[in-house]
Amino acid sequence: MIKAYKLVLSYLKETYQNWQDDEAFRQSAVIAYYSIFSLPALIIIVVNVAGIVYGQQEVRSEITEQIGSMIGGEAAQQVQTMVANANDQGNSVLAITIGLATLLFGATGLFYHLQQSLNKVWDVETKPSAGILKVVMDRALSLGIILSIGFLLIISLVATAAISALSEWMQEQLSETLVYFFYVVNFLLSLGTITLFFALIYKVLPDVEIPWRIVWIGAIVTAILFTVGEFALGLYFGKTNPASTFGAAGSVILILLWVNYSGLIFLFGAEFTKVYARRNGHTIKVSSHAQRSAAYLLQQQQKRKAEEEAIAENGHSR
């Protein structure tokens, strides 16, 4: 038991050090900045994809409820307004075409910058020779992830509705104790959906080839941290209302704070995935269109030089 505790503590300590070294606070601030421009487009696409099966109004209400539970009703209303304004592109063919292109570019923009942050975690960068084709492929991958989010949302909504209906029936027909069982099932379903979401991002976005067994470990840890962090942030925002000092811009500031804190958790989970892979002897291959970053190569060169100097000094002393 003590060994397991020390092992977990050492994992977390190394993860935290890497998280600090890779400037997680600056990276999450960049993610938060771009999320403001990407969020309306992202929600519109997800609502339209999931709405095919479940109904757009139902999906929109669910998303608004989830956002409201995390950062408050006022901020959720602000997001609704942003989505409505972005969705109002006029009726002409040109306006619709421009609006659709803007939506796609805006929605994939956030995932592009998530990719850059993950590449920094894994010490890689895109080869200069990759050119415009790599950018197009990255945007296509981002769109694929967005569509996958819509699919996951459909499954989550259907399963949640079924569990809720069954829970109400059980409450009427049988003991209320069983209702708590369905609460646990609903929580595990939500945790599983978040895990799938993080696994998809950790596997697809960075320019490295990570085995699925590593991806799942990192995604599960991140999902647990995200769920705990979501609860803590809800309490923090509900008790302190940190955006109240910003007046009319308070809702936007609150959204930025929420995404910023969520980005910190996301990057911590990515660093944990890297630490877990290294500690367990898994070699992570760099994708064919990428290379080791200049900062990483310089760090390795300095490390080898320090080792050589240490060996020479020891030999000299003898």
Side-chain angles (χ1 to χ4, degrees):
M1 187 69 179
I2 296 177
K3 285 185 178 181
Y5 171 77
K6 288 183 177 179
L7 181 63
V8 171
L9 197 61
S10 67
Y11 267 80
L12 293 177
K13 184 178 179 180
E14 185 175 351
T15 299
Y16 177 77
Q17 187 60 55
N18 290 349
W19 185 72
Q20 288 277 59
D21 292 343
D22 285 334
E23 301 177 302
F25 282 89
R26 188 178 69 84
Q27 294 291 329
S28 64
V30 172
I31 292 171
Y33 173 80
Y34 281 100
S35 71
I36 287 294
F37 302 100
S38 302
L39 190 59
L42 179 61
I43 292 177
I44 288 172
I45 294 176
V46 170
V47 165
N48 279 275
V49 172
I52 295 173
V53 175
Y54 212 77
Q56 291 189 15
Q57 186 57 45
E58 188 70 25
V59 175
R60 192 177 291 110
S61 299
E62 178 66 20
I63 291 176
T64 302
E65 183 180 340
Q66 291 296 327
I67 294 175
S69 66
M70 287 184 284
I71 54 178
E74 187 177 340
Q77 185 61 45
Q78 184 67 39
V79 172
Q80 272 193 322
T81 303
M82 292 164 63
V83 171
N85 292 337
N87 212 9
D88 186 14
Q89 301 291 343
N91 297 319
S92 68
V93 176
L94 179 61
I96 292 173
T97 303
I98 294 175
L100 181 60
T102 304
L103 283 178
L104 291 176
F105 185 81
T108 56
L110 174 59
F111 288 92
Y112 173 78
H113 290 284
L114 284 175
Q115 181 188 53
Q116 301 308 304
S117 296
L118 289 174
N119 280 348
K120 185 175 178 61
V121 169
W122 290 102
D123 301 311
V124 297
E125 59 188 15
T126 304
K127 289 180 179 177
S129 58
I132 190 66
L133 181 61
K134 176 62 169 60
V135 176
V136 174
M137 290 298 296
D138 287 343
R139 295 286 176 168
L141 281 175
S142 299
L143 182 59
I145 291 177
I146 294 169
L147 296 177
S148 300
I149 292 172
F151 177 71
L152 288 175
L153 185 60
I154 292 171
I155 296 175
S156 178
L157 288 173
V158 172
T160 300
I163 291 172
S164 178
L166 188 58
S167 175
E168 291 177 3
W169 181 83
M170 293 286 286
Q171 190 171 4
E172 293 176 358
Q173 302 295 325
L174 301 172
S175 171
E176 291 186 5
T177 306
L178 291 175
V179 176
Y180 295 104
F181 168 76
F182 288 99
Y183 287 152
V184 173
V185 171
N186 194 32
F187 170 78
L188 292 177
L189 174 67
S190 176
L191 185 64
T193 303
I194 296 172
T195 300
L196 283 173
F197 172 67
F198 284 122
L200 189 63
I201 291 179
Y202 287 162
K203 178 66 177 179
V204 173
L205 280 188
D207 290 322
V208 290
E209 299 173 9
I210 312 173
W212 274 110
R213 60 184 179 276
I214 303 298
V215 169
W216 287 120
I217 295 295
I220 291 170
V221 171
T222 309
I224 293 172
L225 291 174
F226 185 82
T227 303
V228 174
E230 179 185 327
F231 176 75
L233 284 176
L235 288 178
Y236 173 67
F237 289 152
K239 296 290 185 182
T240 62
N241 192 17
S244 59
T245 57
F246 294 95
S251 298
V252 176
I253 297 299
L254 203 59
I255 295 170
L256 281 170
L257 286 173
W258 172 57
V259 178
N260 193 11
Y261 294 151
S262 299
L264 290 173
I265 295 171
F266 169 80
L267 293 173
F268 190 89
E271 294 286 2
F272 179 88
T273 307
K274 177 185 174 182
V275 170
Y276 181 85
R278 189 187 62 79
R279 287 278 197 99
N280 289 274
H282 296 283
T283 302
I284 305 300
K285 292 177 59 179
V286 180
S287 300
S288 58
H289 52 263
Q291 62 189 15
R292 287 295 178 184
S293 65
Y296 174 80
L297 294 176
L298 178 61
Q299 183 184 36
Q300 293 299 109
Q301 183 181 0
Q302 292 173 342
K303 183 179 179 182
R304 284 195 298 270
K305 184 178 179 180
E307 289 175 351
E308 290 172 359
E309 290 177 350
I311 293 173
E313 186 178 342
N314 289 335
H316 211 45
S317 61
R318 289 175 184 173

